[in-house]
Amino acid sequence: MEENKTEFRVKAYGKAELAMLYNPQMCTREALRTLTRWMVRNEELYRELLVIGYKKTCKIFTPKEVAVITHYLGEP
């Protein structure tokens, strides 16, 4: 087990911050595009996000949104 690996917590994350957790090998912009693409292509995930109030223009994912994302995509 890696010593530097921290346990993932469901909390508010900046969109870029969460995207980089899922795609650490990418630049921030590409990581954000990739996460957004995954979210939109997963119809159940995206529908559930919209029901709880997700707005694509917000810069932060709420803890509820993070919980939904990790439910469908797994933890980063």
Side-chain angles (χ1 to χ4, degrees):
M1 186 170 174
E2 293 180 37
E3 290 180 28
N4 293 335
K5 183 147 178 134
T6 58
E7 189 174 317
F8 179 79
R9 288 184 37 217
V10 172
K11 62 177 188 139
Y13 285 92
K15 284 186 175 180
E17 179 184 13
L18 187 62
M20 288 304 294
L21 289 175
Y22 276 104
N23 300 291
Q25 72 285 359
M26 295 180 178
C27 68
T28 304
R29 189 175 186 169
E30 253 335 284
L32 193 50
R33 283 182 184 164
T34 299
L35 179 58
T36 301
R37 191 168 41 248
W38 291 347
M39 290 167 37
V40 172
R41 286 184 180 170
N42 186 323
E43 291 178 17
E44 288 180 50
L45 163 58
Y46 199 65
R47 192 174 316 119
E48 194 167 333
L49 285 173
L50 292 175
V51 166
I52 62 172
Y54 170 73
K55 304 270 188 273
K56 66 181 182 179
T57 56
C58 289
K59 302 291 184 204
I60 295 175
F61 288 118
T62 67
K64 274 186 177 181
E65 292 167 346
V66 172
V68 169
I69 292 166
T70 57
H71 173 76
Y72 286 96
L73 300 181
E75 292 182 1

